[in-house]
């Protein structure tokens, strides 16, 4: 049973890597982003999207952690 789980995990990871590789290879057009007067460097679309995903994956848990701290602090004030 343990070996079956490993095989399924390896197949899943390989499929994920293949999907990411296909995404990167299909999105090689370059773009330059402008935000609040700031012009970003010219990068491929795939890199911009992957960077946005990674930044979101960091910001989301940090905001959740901060909200949890605020809730715990509010609960301590009530007790």
């Amino acid at each position: 049973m343990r070996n079956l789980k490993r095989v399924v995990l390896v197949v899943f990871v390989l499929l994920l890597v293949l999907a990411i590789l296909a995404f990167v290879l299909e999105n090689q057009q370059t773009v330059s982003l402008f935000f609040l007067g700031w012009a970003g460097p010219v990068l491929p679309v795939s890199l911009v999207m992957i960077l946005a995903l990674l930044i979101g994956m960091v910001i989301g848990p940090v905001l959740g952690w901060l909200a949890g701290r605020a809730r715990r602090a509010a609960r301590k004030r009530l007790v």
Side-chain angles (χ1 to χ4, degrees):
M1 190 64 164
R2 205 167 82 185
N3 288 334
L4 178 64
K5 288 181 182 179
R6 282 186 184 167
V7 170
V8 170
L9 179 64
V10 167
V11 168
F12 177 74
V13 168
L14 285 175
L15 288 173
L16 184 64
V17 167
L18 285 173
I20 292 170
L21 181 63
F23 175 78
V24 169
L25 291 175
E26 289 294 323
N27 291 290
Q28 291 297 314
Q29 302 87 357
T30 57
V31 295
S32 179
L33 299 179
F34 295 94
F35 182 68
L36 298 175
W38 178 77
V42 177
L43 298 171
V45 174
S46 58
L47 186 59
V48 171
M49 291 185 68
I50 289 172
L51 285 174
L53 172 72
L54 292 175
I55 290 170
M57 290 173 69
V58 170
I59 290 174
V62 168
L63 290 177
W65 177 72
L66 289 173
R69 283 188 60 196
R71 269 187 259 129
R72 282 190 295 277
R75 249 190 254 138
K76 280 186 178 181
R77 278 185 262 136
L78 291 174
V79 175

